[in-house]
Amino acid sequence: MKSKKVILSTFCAAMLLGGCASQVNTKVTEPDKPLMSIGDTTITRNDEYELIKRVNGPSLMIQGIQLLIYNKEVPVDDEIKKEADEMLKSYDPDSETFLKQIQTYGYKDKEEYLNQVIIPSIQSNKLLEKYFEENAEAIEETYRPVVAAIIETDSEDNAQKAIDAMNDGTSPEEAGKQYAREGANYTGNDTVITTETTKLPTRLLNTLNETSDDGVLSEVFYDDTSTDDKAYYAVKLISRDYNENIDLITQSLSSNQDVISGCMVFYLTKYDFEVHDQYIFDYLKTNTPEYLVTRPDLTE
């Protein structure tokens, strides 16, 4: 474990020093120092470094860079420590089963698991929340989030009744209890609708995007299909205010891989991330070229 941490530190230092990769390879100090031998074969520090780099190098490097960003942007404070302790307690950390499980993954005890897994996961969530605040304009432009209450019904008549009820002052949740069809995905609760939403009629999505005033939409929307099991929708636009709804928007988009990648790119750019090892550079160029933020031409 200790050796792996040294390798990880070496990767991070190598990646952040500045300058672009150009047939350059990082090295460890004392590369010829023997670590182990079998028969007449000796394994040196450099042998181990090259092996780990080629087997786990890219993932180790990204993990290390993430930790550096976390500690700069969302450093561990009392609030994070308290949340981590509470999360650890929920795992029954003193049980033999839990200890055996984390030791299987290479953690010697619950403290190491707390510091290396739980705390970074909390920092990751907080970094994403911060990203939604600091990159609000771009996120809003890309995903066009709005909050709406949608009621999915089994007939045009019930959808119209839901619209009339909401216009008369009935809350969307109560109207949903009356008119939503059995097994409905939308029952009148506040829902974030974005450009990533695909399970609703196109006309409904376009109308929400084009509507500026909050309130009940007069139109009944229906599935753009010719199946007999059509769904009909009553809709109330709740809010287009990004700042007012930032928690809901963050929650809605937090598992989106493009958002997660965009967060990483945002902070890699902020800290002028550059790669100095040709193998790592080539790997990222092939798999995640957007992470090579000093080479935007690679994503064109």
Side-chain angles (χ1 to χ4, degrees):
M1 181 64 69
K2 183 177 180 182
S3 176
K4 197 169 185 178
K5 290 178 184 175
V6 172
I7 295 295
L8 180 57
S9 298
T10 303
F11 276 136
C12 294
M15 297 310 125
L16 290 174
L17 284 175
C20 297
S22 179
Q23 296 303 323
V24 174
N25 286 292
T26 53
K27 297 179 181 179
V28 292
T29 58
E30 300 182 281
D32 297 324
K33 182 179 180 179
L35 294 177
M36 64 190 80
S37 62
I38 179 168
D40 59 358
T41 301
T42 299
I43 306 298
T44 66
R45 281 171 56 85
N46 190 64
D47 292 332
E48 182 192 42
Y49 177 76
E50 288 296 324
L51 176 62
I52 293 178
K53 182 176 73 173
R54 292 182 182 279
V55 174
N56 294 312
S59 60
L60 278 174
M61 182 269 296
I62 292 298
Q63 178 188 351
I65 298 303
Q66 286 173 330
L67 289 174
L68 288 173
I69 291 173
Y70 295 161
N71 291 331
K72 286 179 177 293
E73 293 292 328
V74 284
V76 179
D77 56 15
D78 290 341
E79 180 184 345
I80 289 177
K81 289 178 181 177
K82 181 180 179 181
E83 187 175 344
D85 286 336
E86 291 174 353
M87 189 178 296
L88 181 63
K89 288 177 183 177
S90 72
Y91 296 151
D92 192 14
D94 295 320
S95 70
E96 186 176 340
T97 300
F98 176 78
L99 293 174
K100 284 184 177 179
Q101 186 175 14
I102 63 174
Q103 286 168 0
T104 299
Y105 292 109
Y107 304 100
K108 66 180 181 180
D109 55 32
K110 61 184 181 183
E111 289 302 319
E112 188 168 86
Y113 184 78
L114 176 79
N115 291 320
Q116 295 186 19
V117 177
I118 295 178
I119 286 179
S121 73
I122 294 171
Q123 287 178 293
S124 174
N125 291 336
K126 291 189 178 298
L127 182 70
L128 197 60
E129 292 170 3
K130 189 172 185 178
Y131 170 66
F132 273 82
E133 294 173 358
E134 294 190 339
N135 200 36
E137 185 176 345
I139 292 172
E140 192 168 9
E141 181 179 347
T142 301
Y143 297 101
R144 300 197 294 266
V146 301
V147 176
I150 300 173
I151 302 171
E152 177 185 339
T153 74
D154 58 5
S155 69
E156 185 173 2
D157 183 56
N158 278 333
Q160 187 60 55
K161 287 179 180 178
I163 290 172
D164 294 340
M166 288 189 288
N167 279 326
D168 289 340
T170 302
S171 70
E173 293 88 346
E174 287 300 316
K177 290 177 182 178
Q178 289 181 269
Y179 300 110
R181 70 175 181 173
E182 186 176 351
N185 293 313
Y186 300 93
T187 59
N189 296 318
D190 287 359
T191 302
V192 176
I193 304 298
T194 72
T195 54
E196 297 295 297
T197 304
T198 58
K199 295 182 179 180
L200 287 168
T202 301
R203 180 169 174 78
L204 188 162
L205 297 173
N206 289 341
T207 301
L208 275 177
N209 187 52
E210 295 165 1
T211 301
S212 56
D213 296 329
D214 301 345
V216 181
L217 304 187
S218 60
E219 182 177 348
V220 170
F221 301 92
Y222 56 88
D223 284 331
D224 307 310
T225 65
S226 58
T227 63
D228 294 333
D229 188 31
K230 279 186 179 180
Y232 297 81
Y233 301 90
V235 181
K236 181 177 182 179
L237 176 59
I238 304 298
S239 174
R240 305 187 67 88
D241 190 314
Y242 181 92
N243 292 326
E244 178 182 284
N245 302 307
I246 190 167
D247 290 342
L248 279 174
I249 294 168
T250 301
Q251 181 181 355
S252 174
L253 290 170
S254 61
S255 60
N256 182 290
Q257 289 304 309
D258 288 338
V259 171
I260 294 170
S261 176
C263 177
M264 186 70 172
V265 169
F266 183 83
Y267 290 104
L268 289 175
T269 303
K270 181 175 180 178
Y271 291 104
D272 299 321
F273 173 67
E274 293 179 335
V275 176
H276 293 271
D277 184 278
Q278 192 64 46
Y279 177 80
I280 301 294
F281 181 90
D282 291 341
Y283 180 92
L284 294 178
K285 179 181 176 180
T286 299
N287 294 279
T288 50
E290 64 274 17
Y291 287 179
L292 297 169
V293 294
T294 59
R295 292 291 307 276
D297 56 297
L298 296 177
T299 59
E300 294 176 353

